[in-house]
Amino acid sequence: MKPSVPPCSLGSLKMAELAVLNCRQLVTLAGSRRPRTGREMRDLAIVPDGAMLIRDGRILDVGPRAEIERLLTPAAQVVDAGGRIVLPGFVDAHTHPVFAGTRADEFELRAEGATYAEIAAQGGGIRSTVRRTRQTTEADLLTAARRYRQWFLRGGTTTVEAKSGYGLSLEAELKILHVIRQLAADGGLRYVPTFLGAHEVPDEYQGRTDAYADLVIHEMLPRIAAEGLAEYCDVFCEPNVFPVDKARLILRAAQSLGLGVRLHADQFSPDVGALLAAELHAATADHLEATGPAGLSALKAANVQPVLLPASVYNLGSTRYPDARRMIELGLAVVLATDFNPGSSPTASIPMVLSLASTQMKMTPAEGIAAVTINAAYSLGRGGQIGSLEPGKLADFVIHDCEDYRELPYFFGRDPARAVYIGGNCAILNI
Ligand code: NIG
Ligand code: FE
């Protein structure tokens, strides 16, 4: 055994064999090969004083320290977790990470009493970010997105779903998806690309939603599918943005091209979005702040995963959080995500989301952690590769400076990740 190395050495360490030792709690999330529901969400399969063996970027073995130490070869490099907790990297299943500028000006207006809807109706909101993003070069968008990538990593996130949606023309949507492709090629954080051409009706199509939906269906989607630029298609389904009939047409077109489907559903208006997600057997229905019993039952019957975004509720100053307890009682495989974007949710912090989930939606810390690891991984079609620390999976793990996993939501406003490993490589060190 080589002498123990610090928790993380900066840069890419392509180590053939890695042993992670001295974990006060190794929070594995091991279990059946499907998303967790009901009481299962409270079982994190924690190994006290646990250890983990990694070879060529994949997990070889997980167990009590003494057991793993017996398996070590002299070639193994040791990562000493220092008596801290180790978790799978967080999987953030709903983000909008490529955009130009900020909307700090609108944040100030909202602090003075304006509402998100009023600002959007006056041409601000998503459309103001679209104007700026169109004028920004691919290189500058990439620079901004790489800065935000550090924020995700510092929060302990190792995979993000990344939506386009601030271009809203063929050229500008391609530009954003090319940025996402480059971010993925960089290594480090993993990206799962989603095409969100139907995020809003752009300025030049105001009053002509049908014509814009035609553009999305007949020009954008075929080109994006042909270039393999997205795995999923998403639509902002709201009566005054893309009403359910338009959303259905766009998402059916995406499915016929082989894309999976996720939806912004019932953020402000009740039920139709959830019902459409169920009808289409979407992978996820996201937001669901306004969803009632009919919508929830439909999601359950169609096996659609809810993605809850409490940071956007909080940041918009609302108190209408989605009914997470009801969803868990119904047996829905709940996911939590940041919704990182420049308007409704400018945070990349999963620990912040975990705090809101416990304080505002009464999810237990364990339920929250299941929702941002194994359940989020399944919602992205990656439950077999990431989301838990089990033999055969990719070695995406994080050492958090905590003694107990419940401290993650308890000490709020702090990102305690100390070392972040992706595929066995060290991605970031926070001292
Ligand atoms: O998920 N509601 C639509 N999309 C985003 C907000 C995007 C923005 O405000 O720029 C959301 O909340
Ligand atoms: Fe969103």
Side-chain angles (χ1 to χ4, degrees):
M1 197 200 314
K2 292 202 174 150
S4 133
V5 295
C8 179
S9 308
L10 276 175
S12 178
L13 292 179
K14 196 74 201 165
M15 286 184 286
E17 196 167 306
L18 205 65
V20 187
L21 302 179
N22 200 10
C23 317
R24 184 181 303 269
Q25 293 179 335
L26 184 61
V27 182
T28 69
L29 278 295
S32 43
R33 291 167 189 247
R34 54 172 175 72
R36 308 290 181 260
T37 57
R39 296 295 293 189
E40 292 168 352
M41 289 186 73
R42 296 186 185 211
D43 179 9
L44 301 183
I46 295 171
V47 184
D49 194 16
M52 187 162 61
L53 197 58
I54 289 154
R55 187 171 295 152
D56 295 331
R58 285 193 183 266
I59 299 169
L60 207 59
D61 220 326
V62 176
R65 177 188 183 130
E67 228 170 72
I68 298 298
E69 274 179 348
R70 273 201 298 275
L71 304 173
L72 291 190
T73 69
Q77 292 277 357
V78 173
V79 173
D80 183 348
R84 303 183 185 89
I85 65 169
V86 174
L87 269 76
F90 296 137
V91 177
D92 193 339
H94 182 135
T95 85
H96 308 246
V98 181
F99 54 85
T102 72
R103 300 224 294 277
D105 52 348
E106 293 181 5
F107 180 80
E108 184 177 37
L109 291 175
R110 283 193 285 111
E112 288 171 339
T115 68
Y116 186 68
E118 282 163 8
I119 291 168
Q122 285 158 20
I126 295 170
R127 283 191 283 142
S128 76
T129 300
V130 168
R131 277 175 228 122
R132 265 189 276 191
T133 303
R134 284 177 172 179
Q135 286 164 10
T136 302
T137 64
E138 192 172 313
D140 286 348
L141 286 174
L142 186 58
T143 303
R146 283 182 174 144
R147 174 168 174 251
Y148 302 134
R149 170 167 60 200
Q150 293 305 106
W151 300 1
F152 286 110
L153 290 168
R154 281 184 209 140
T157 296
T158 51
T159 298
V160 296
E161 181 260 12
K163 301 177 196 296
S164 68
Y166 291 113
L168 311 189
S169 67
L170 175 61
E171 186 199 4
E173 285 294 303
L174 287 172
K175 178 171 68 176
I176 294 169
L177 289 166
H178 287 147
V179 169
I180 296 171
R181 186 158 68 182
Q182 183 56 50
L183 291 164
D186 284 349
L189 190 62
R190 300 183 196 277
Y191 287 83
V192 179
T194 293
F195 169 59
L196 178 55
H199 192 194
E200 173 57 289
V201 180
D203 291 345
E204 66 278 17
Y205 280 91
Q206 284 296 298
R208 295 189 298 136
T209 303
D210 290 8
Y212 183 66
D214 281 347
L215 181 74
V216 171
I217 292 169
H218 299 296
E219 292 190 35
M220 296 190 195
L221 268 171
R223 177 77 182 271
I224 284 152
E227 287 195 31
L229 283 167
E231 285 184 36
Y232 291 93
C233 180
D234 188 346
V235 171
F236 185 19
C237 181
E238 275 290 325
N240 58 347
V241 189
F242 293 95
V244 68
D245 290 347
K246 285 282 149 283
R248 181 187 287 112
L249 285 178
I250 294 166
L251 293 169
R252 285 224 173 115
Q255 286 178 321
S256 73
L257 291 165
L259 273 70
V261 159
R262 329 175 73 80
L263 273 93
H264 282 71
D266 307 336
Q267 183 176 9
F268 302 109
S269 315
D271 273 342
V272 287
L275 296 177
L276 178 62
E279 176 193 319
L280 296 173
H281 291 276
T284 65
D286 303 38
H287 278 290
L288 305 178
E289 284 93 307
T291 309
L296 295 185
S297 309
L299 293 179
K300 170 64 185 159
N303 223 0
V304 178
Q305 285 190 257
V307 179
L308 310 184
L309 309 165
S312 67
V313 181
Y314 164 78
N315 184 64
L316 292 180
S318 165
T319 50
R320 185 161 71 165
Y321 287 87
D323 194 350
R325 282 263 54 91
R326 185 84 195 109
M327 293 179 199
I328 292 171
E329 273 165 30
L330 281 172
L332 288 160
V334 171
V335 177
L336 289 163
T338 60
D339 195 12
F340 176 68
N341 75 68
S344 66
S345 192
T347 181
S349 170
I350 287 284
M352 178 68 196
V353 169
L354 291 174
S355 165
L356 292 169
S358 287
T359 59
Q360 308 303 306
M361 303 197 294
K362 303 300 175 200
M363 289 175 69
T364 67
E367 288 170 338
I369 287 169
V372 295
T373 54
I374 191 74
N375 281 6
Y378 273 103
S379 86
L380 292 171
R382 282 162 170 73
Q385 291 110 59
I386 55 176
S388 65
L389 302 177
E390 293 179 273
K393 286 204 172 180
L394 293 163
D396 292 5
F397 65 95
V398 178
I399 302 171
H400 294 274
D401 183 24
C402 303
E403 294 190 350
D404 183 293
Y405 73 88
R406 291 171 295 193
E407 292 174 22
L408 281 166
Y410 165 77
F411 282 121
F412 73 95
R414 159 184 197 243
D415 281 336
R418 181 166 166 115
V420 179
Y421 284 81
I422 301 182
N425 287 318
C426 185
I428 196 166
L429 170 68
N430 292 335
I431 293 289

